[in-house]
């Protein structure tokens, strides 16, 4: 059985990360020839070149990029291992969560809240991005779970399992004066009214657009957002209405003073925990899922 020399891998990782032998040597406190020799031995054991010359410097080969990604994961897990052992009394093992950029932060906060009340609580590490990028991180075991407002597509070329957390309504909100005006004659009052909406790639935007279309309504779209949190901040000055998952409305009302116009009938916002395994095993993922299914979305 072949064994990987992690000492060689560490020297390669530092060199690739720092971008040069000189910087890696300064960081590690060893000579450049020593690092070069270690990397050469790693290349021989793998049977492939990891760097190629480019001008006066060196860049990673395709194989080098793959090895670097694995090295990043390996040494990240090593740091987690040390942290788990050194802080075992605190029992704060890391729980890496991916948040799609279309999930409102207030909704994510409510969903993740049970993690802090586990008998052995986890330290939550949040990573935000689009679903495609987060799925790649999940496949590389860099995430324990992903919170999303849409399921992982069946066309995804990685192993991912969708666990429904539940669904809630979609509510239109606005600053107080705008909300009071738009409640009169709703929903016709929305026609031509200034609207702040999620960007077109989001699941909520597709549902809201369909709801408008079915009622022959054309609001005046004045801004679109990938980040629902920024949409709320912008709404304070833009004087327009915007949609939110109903589970996030209470927080928006308390924090920004928004008022509810109405909850849209017949459409809902659904949330998912996406994992690399069919059966949930991570205690934090299990707590999040069970709380959402039994309490959070039933209430909302």
């Amino acid at each position: 059985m072949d064994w990987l020399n992690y000492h060689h891998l560490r020297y390669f990782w530092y060199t690739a990360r720092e971008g040069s032998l000189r910087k890696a040597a300064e960081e590690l406190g060893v000579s450049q020839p020593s690092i070069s020799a270690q990397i050469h031995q790693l290349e021989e054991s793998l049977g492939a070149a990891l760097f190629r010359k480019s001008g006066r410097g060196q860049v990673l080969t395709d194989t080098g990029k793959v090895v670097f990604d694995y090295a990043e994961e390996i040494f990240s897990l090593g740091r987690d291992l040390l942290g788990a052992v050194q802080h075992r009394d605190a029992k704060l093992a890391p729980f890496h969560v991916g948040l799609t950029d279309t999930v409102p932060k207030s909704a994510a906060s409510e969903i993740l809240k049970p993690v802090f009340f586990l008998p052995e609580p986890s330290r939550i590490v949040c990573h935000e991005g689009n679903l495609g990028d987060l799925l790649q991180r999940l496949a590389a075991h860099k995430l324990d779970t992903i919170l999303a407002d849409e399921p992982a597509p069946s066309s995804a070329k990685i192993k991912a399992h969708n666990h429904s957390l539940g669904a809630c309504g979609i509510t239109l909100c606005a600053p107080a004066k705008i909300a009071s005006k738009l409640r009169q004659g709703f929903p016709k009052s929305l026609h031509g009214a200034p609207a702040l909406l999620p960007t077109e790639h989001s699941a909520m935007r597709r549902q809201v657009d369909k709801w408008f279309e079915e009622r022959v309504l054309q609001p005046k779209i004045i801004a679109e957002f990938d980040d629902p949190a920024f949409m709320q901040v912008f709404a304070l000055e833009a004087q327009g209405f915007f949609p939110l998952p109903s589970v996030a409305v209470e927080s928006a009302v308390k924090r920004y003073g928004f008022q509810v116009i109405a909850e849209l009938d017949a459409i809902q916002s659904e949330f998912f925990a996406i994992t690399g395994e069919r059966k949930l095993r991570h205690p934090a993922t299990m707590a999040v899922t069970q709380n959402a299914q039994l309490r959070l979305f039933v209430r909302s």
Side-chain angles (χ1 to χ4, degrees):
M1 180 178 180
D2 293 332
W3 293 93
L4 178 64
N5 188 313
Y6 291 97
H7 189 66
H8 297 166
L9 184 66
R10 181 169 176 263
Y11 277 32
F12 158 77
W13 177 62
Y14 265 96
T15 303
R17 192 185 68 174
E18 297 298 328
S20 73
L21 284 171
R22 179 183 60 81
K23 291 181 180 179
E26 292 174 355
E27 183 75 18
L28 292 166
V30 298
S31 68
Q32 294 185 42
S34 177
I35 294 179
S36 182
Q38 299 276 0
I39 293 175
H40 183 64
Q41 290 180 54
L42 178 62
E43 290 177 323
E44 286 187 336
S45 67
L46 295 175
L50 301 177
F51 291 99
R52 61 177 176 82
K53 290 184 177 180
S54 177
R56 294 184 178 180
Q58 290 185 321
V59 296
L60 289 171
T61 63
D62 289 341
T63 300
K65 293 176 183 177
V66 172
V67 174
F68 179 74
D69 286 343
Y70 275 102
E72 285 270 86
E73 182 182 353
I74 288 168
F75 293 119
S76 175
L77 289 172
R79 289 191 296 271
D80 288 347
L81 172 61
L82 288 174
V85 173
Q86 292 171 355
H87 304 287
R88 187 168 57 180
D89 291 339
K91 296 179 180 178
L92 292 177
F95 175 48
H96 292 273
V97 183
L99 302 175
T100 61
D101 46 21
T102 55
V103 172
K105 307 301 184 294
S106 51
S109 177
E110 287 293 325
I111 293 171
L112 292 172
K113 193 178 294 182
V115 178
F116 296 113
F117 300 99
L118 288 170
E120 296 186 5
S122 294
R123 170 168 52 89
I124 301 176
V125 183
C126 294
H127 309 264
E128 189 175 8
N130 63 62
L131 182 55
D133 291 342
L134 293 176
L135 286 171
Q136 292 298 323
R137 294 177 66 86
L138 182 70
H141 306 289
K142 295 179 179 179
L143 297 175
D144 295 304
T145 190
I146 298 171
L147 294 186
D149 59 354
E150 59 182 325
S154 57
S155 58
K157 296 181 180 179
I158 68 169
K159 184 174 69 172
H161 300 282
N162 299 306
H163 308 273
S164 177
L165 298 177
C168 65
I170 294 177
T171 299
L172 298 183
C173 298
K177 289 184 180 180
I178 299 295
S180 177
K181 178 181 178 181
L182 294 179
R183 278 196 294 266
Q184 302 175 25
F186 178 86
K188 291 183 179 180
S189 58
L190 301 179
H191 189 76
L196 297 84
L197 299 178
T199 50
E200 293 182 349
H201 76 277
S202 73
M204 183 189 294
R205 174 62 182 275
R206 293 192 292 270
Q207 292 202 68
V208 170
D209 279 350
K210 183 179 179 182
W211 191 89
F212 289 147
E213 183 180 343
E214 289 174 348
R215 288 154 184 78
V216 198
L217 300 173
Q218 289 187 337
K220 181 182 179 181
I221 302 173
I222 59 174
E224 298 175 90
F225 302 86
D226 278 330
D227 187 343
F230 185 42
M231 180 171 67
Q232 293 178 54
V233 172
F234 199 85
L236 291 170
E237 301 296 334
Q239 297 299 301
F241 74 87
F242 59 92
L244 277 180
S246 297
V247 71
V249 169
E250 183 178 350
S251 174
V253 170
K254 287 182 178 179
R255 179 172 298 182
Y256 299 113
F258 295 128
Q259 290 188 9
V260 171
I261 299 169
E263 184 171 352
L264 304 185
D265 54 301
I267 62 173
Q268 292 187 319
S269 183
E270 189 170 7
F271 294 89
F272 298 86
I274 303 172
T275 66
E277 55 192 16
R278 186 178 301 277
K279 185 176 181 180
L280 298 179
R281 291 186 175 87
H282 197 294
T285 303
M286 294 172 65
V288 164
T289 304
Q290 291 170 3
N291 180 72
Q293 293 173 342
L294 298 177
R295 293 182 60 253
L296 184 59
F297 291 105
V298 171
R299 184 180 72 243
S300 60

